[in-house]
Amino acid sequence: MCIGSKEGILTRSGQQDIGRAKPLLIPDMPRRSYEISIYPFSRRLETKRLRKRAEFLESIGVRFEEDPISGDLPHIYLPRLHRQKTEKDQKTRLGEALLKLAQGSNITDHVASHQDQMSTVQREVREFTDWIVPHLRKSGFELDFKRPIVIESIPPWTTAEKEIPCVLPFSLKKVKLKPLEPGYVVMQLPRRDSTEFDEFSHLRSEDRLHLSPKKTYHLLHKILKKAFQKESIPFERLKMVLKESQYCMYYDLRNYGWRVEIIPAIHIHKSNAVLVSKPFDIDENAASEMRWRICWAQKEAEIIRSISCTDKGIRTKALQIVCRLCQKDWRLKMLTPYQIQNVLLFDMDHHVDHSPRWQRSSLEDCVLSLLNRLLHYAKAGYLPHFIIEGLDLFGLLDPKAVVLYKSALERLTTNEKALISLTERTRPEEDAEPRWLEPKTDDVDRPNLQIPAYTGIV
């Protein structure tokens, strides 16, 4: 190392060469800098930091897929919460009864392999939805059909056993949405005389000013019939029936007796909500000629799917168990699965905000939490919709029915023996036992609680 000056060159020995100043050149040696001079120390320090960091992470249960002390940044594998469950479920009589009910609910009679059946049904539903889209778009009508939506959560209307709801949304131009009470809208069409023909002539209501859900069913049935004839598909597999002044359209699948319920819907721009033509379970104007219902089934399915991925599906099992318990108790049988699903979403919203380890709850804790949340809304006499603000899911019920819910839920949440008894009687093998909770006369129709096994809530 040398330092050049006007007087000469100061060598490493400290002697000065007098004469013409010439820098001392050392070949193949890079110019030293601050960064280069401390590099070895920095390297050792970084290695020491990595080693301490690795020891700390290993002490809290984090493992590495590569060497944590190597020069390259290691890939750190942080175990997701839904893959861990450090707390064991307490073995109680109620917990064991609920677990047996959850296991028994997955049994399907007269089917050798339930998983094989559902895989076949899912594949056929996908083939149907893939096939139907191009044929709908080539129908010749002024309807912009979107991708069909197979509902993977509990819909706001009752579905029969082995029935899969499928929404066929389409968009319309020159149509205005006019909101009514929460959850309902009407579609205003351009004014036309009764003799004047336009693209909405097949869809106008009796007053010629609104889009008719019933006529939408007829038009969609006509389009599908034309497509079936073109592809030589047996038309008998497509059926449209009238149930309680409401149309229902079905497509029979080839396997295991399943069928798809086809529901016309209006696509809402930049939203995963749709306006369906099918009335809800509790609907004051179910036979309306121009009312459309707001349906958030796609968003609800996303939320429930996220919950199931985080808690390993424990709350969806609790949802199914509570639905079956309510079906068994005559005082709670008029509670619809959609109402219970909304209560589950509110219960989850509370636990996410206030319970750091909500994903580690046991099945017993989830069932009790859901029943207590139901009791909370029964006491309030008001069950809000999780997404639609201002919509009361208890609003059209008789106040006496809500009081009956309250008394039944108070007994189940405060008397463990009563809940165990109801759980044991709900199991298929216990159906022959005396039904001391049910009245002798049963004039109330039970809601169908069969949840298709292909969905995310089973």
Side-chain angles (χ1 to χ4, degrees):
M1 178 179 177
C2 62
I3 302 176
S5 64
K6 291 183 179 179
E7 293 77 9
I9 301 176
L10 181 65
T11 63
R12 292 176 184 271
S13 61
Q15 297 177 356
Q16 186 177 13
D17 293 340
I18 307 299
R20 188 175 180 181
K22 292 182 179 180
L24 180 61
L25 300 177
I26 302 177
D28 300 331
M29 178 176 287
R31 185 176 65 86
R32 299 182 69 99
S33 64
Y34 176 76
E35 290 81 4
I36 297 178
S37 64
I38 68 171
Y39 179 78
F41 173 75
S42 176
R43 182 78 175 188
R44 289 194 300 271
L45 182 61
E46 184 66 22
T47 303
K48 186 176 181 181
R49 288 176 178 172
L50 283 175
R51 186 180 290 107
K52 288 186 175 181
R53 183 165 174 260
E55 292 174 356
F56 169 74
L57 292 175
E58 290 175 355
S59 68
I60 63 174
V62 178
R63 64 179 176 85
F64 293 84
E65 290 188 358
E66 296 179 4
D67 184 11
I69 311 179
S70 62
D72 298 332
L73 291 177
H75 173 69
I76 301 177
Y77 176 85
L78 293 173
R80 294 178 61 89
L81 291 177
H82 72 269
R83 295 178 181 173
Q84 285 188 341
K85 192 162 186 178
T86 58
E87 299 176 1
K88 294 184 179 180
D89 295 341
Q90 297 180 355
K91 291 185 178 180
T92 62
R93 185 184 173 188
L94 175 60
E96 292 178 354
L98 293 173
L99 185 59
K100 290 180 181 179
L101 178 59
Q103 294 172 348
S105 63
N106 295 327
I107 300 175
T108 303
D109 298 333
H110 312 296
V111 177
S113 176
H114 182 65
Q115 294 297 330
D116 292 343
Q117 172 189 352
M118 295 317 306
S119 299
T120 304
V121 172
Q122 289 179 38
R123 184 173 61 254
E124 188 173 359
V125 171
R126 286 194 299 268
E127 292 175 356
F128 172 72
T129 54
D130 292 340
W131 169 84
I132 202 174
V133 173
H135 289 82
L136 292 175
R137 292 175 178 173
K138 297 177 181 178
S139 60
F141 293 89
E142 298 293 330
L143 302 176
D144 183 15
F145 283 96
K146 307 297 181 180
R147 179 72 185 174
I149 301 172
V150 178
I151 296 181
E152 298 179 354
S153 63
I154 298 178
W157 53 80
T158 301
T159 58
E161 185 179 359
K162 292 191 174 184
E163 193 171 284
I164 304 174
C166 179
V167 174
L168 291 184
F170 59 89
S171 60
L172 293 172
K173 299 179 181 179
K174 305 176 183 179
V175 177
K176 296 181 181 180
L177 293 178
K178 180 182 178 182
L180 302 176
E181 62 266 22
Y184 297 88
V185 298
V186 294
M187 312 286 291
Q188 291 183 337
L189 299 177
R191 290 182 175 272
R192 291 290 187 275
D193 296 332
S194 59
T195 58
E196 189 175 357
F197 182 83
D198 64 345
E199 63 269 26
F200 303 112
S201 298
H202 300 285
L203 302 174
R204 291 184 179 273
S205 58
E206 296 295 334
D207 60 1
R208 303 282 300 170
L209 299 177
H210 299 91
L211 188 69
S212 170
K214 294 182 179 180
K215 292 190 177 180
T216 305
Y217 263 104
H218 280 284
L219 180 60
L220 185 59
H221 184 264
K222 181 179 179 180
I223 294 174
L224 291 175
K225 180 179 179 181
K226 182 179 179 180
F228 278 32
Q229 292 175 346
K230 184 177 180 180
E231 296 293 330
S232 300
I233 298 177
F235 183 67
E236 292 76 13
R237 294 172 61 182
L238 181 68
K239 302 175 183 177
M240 189 168 70
V241 297
L242 185 64
K243 291 183 178 180
E244 299 179 357
S245 70
Q246 279 296 317
Y247 288 104
C248 297
M249 193 183 313
Y250 302 103
Y251 172 73
D252 294 332
L253 300 179
R254 295 187 299 269
N255 297 286
Y256 301 108
W258 285 76
R259 64 182 182 179
V260 176
E261 183 183 7
I262 303 174
I263 304 169
I266 305 298
H267 171 74
I268 301 179
H269 184 59
K270 293 184 179 180
S271 172
N272 51 10
V274 292
L275 303 176
V276 295
S277 55
K278 186 179 181 66
F280 297 154
D281 280 336
I282 303 177
D283 200 315
E284 187 176 11
N285 298 289
S288 174
E289 180 66 18
M290 55 186 182
R291 295 166 71 94
W292 294 75
R293 288 86 180 169
I294 301 176
C295 179
W296 284 93
Q298 194 173 6
K299 186 64 176 179
E300 292 163 348
E302 292 176 2
I303 299 174
I304 292 177
R305 196 180 303 116
S306 299
I307 295 172
S308 300
C309 290
T310 308
D311 65 0
K312 298 176 115 176
I314 199 72
R315 278 173 177 79
T316 56
K317 290 182 181 178
L319 172 62
Q320 190 178 29
I321 286 175
V322 173
C323 287
R324 298 191 65 195
L325 293 177
C326 292
Q327 184 184 19
K328 193 68 175 179
D329 193 331
W330 67 271
R331 297 166 296 179
L332 300 173
K333 65 173 60 178
M334 292 308 294
L335 273 173
T336 65
Y338 189 70
Q339 291 171 335
I340 302 174
Q341 177 180 270
N342 272 267
V343 173
L344 173 67
L345 295 179
F346 279 110
D347 191 52
M348 273 303 308
D349 187 51
H350 173 79
H351 285 299
V352 169
D353 292 337
H354 299 89
S355 303
R357 296 188 177 186
W358 61 268
Q359 70 282 349
R360 301 181 184 182
S361 299
S362 64
L363 179 62
E364 179 181 351
D365 294 336
C366 295
V367 170
L368 290 175
S369 179
L370 185 53
L371 289 175
N372 278 284
R373 190 70 54 182
L374 269 170
L375 175 60
H376 167 75
Y377 289 114
K379 288 180 177 179
Y382 176 80
L383 176 56
H385 192 278
F386 187 72
I387 300 178
I388 303 174
E389 186 176 1
L391 178 59
D392 181 13
L393 298 180
F394 282 170
L396 298 178
L397 293 179
D398 186 355
K400 295 182 180 179
V402 180
V403 173
L404 195 62
Y405 296 163
K406 174 178 168 291
S407 63
L409 291 169
E410 282 180 340
R411 176 176 173 81
L412 293 178
T413 53
T414 57
N415 191 334
E416 183 177 338
K417 292 183 179 180
L419 182 56
I420 293 174
S421 176
L422 180 61
T423 303
E424 291 177 347
R425 290 184 294 108
T426 306
R427 292 173 56 192
E429 59 270 24
E430 302 293 338
D431 283 345
E433 292 187 358
R435 302 175 181 178
W436 57 274
L437 273 179
E438 297 188 13
K440 295 181 180 180
T441 59
D442 188 1
D443 299 330
V444 183
D445 294 333
R446 294 187 180 185
N448 193 299
L449 301 180
Q450 298 293 335
I451 302 173
Y454 69 93
T455 63
I457 63 172
V458 174

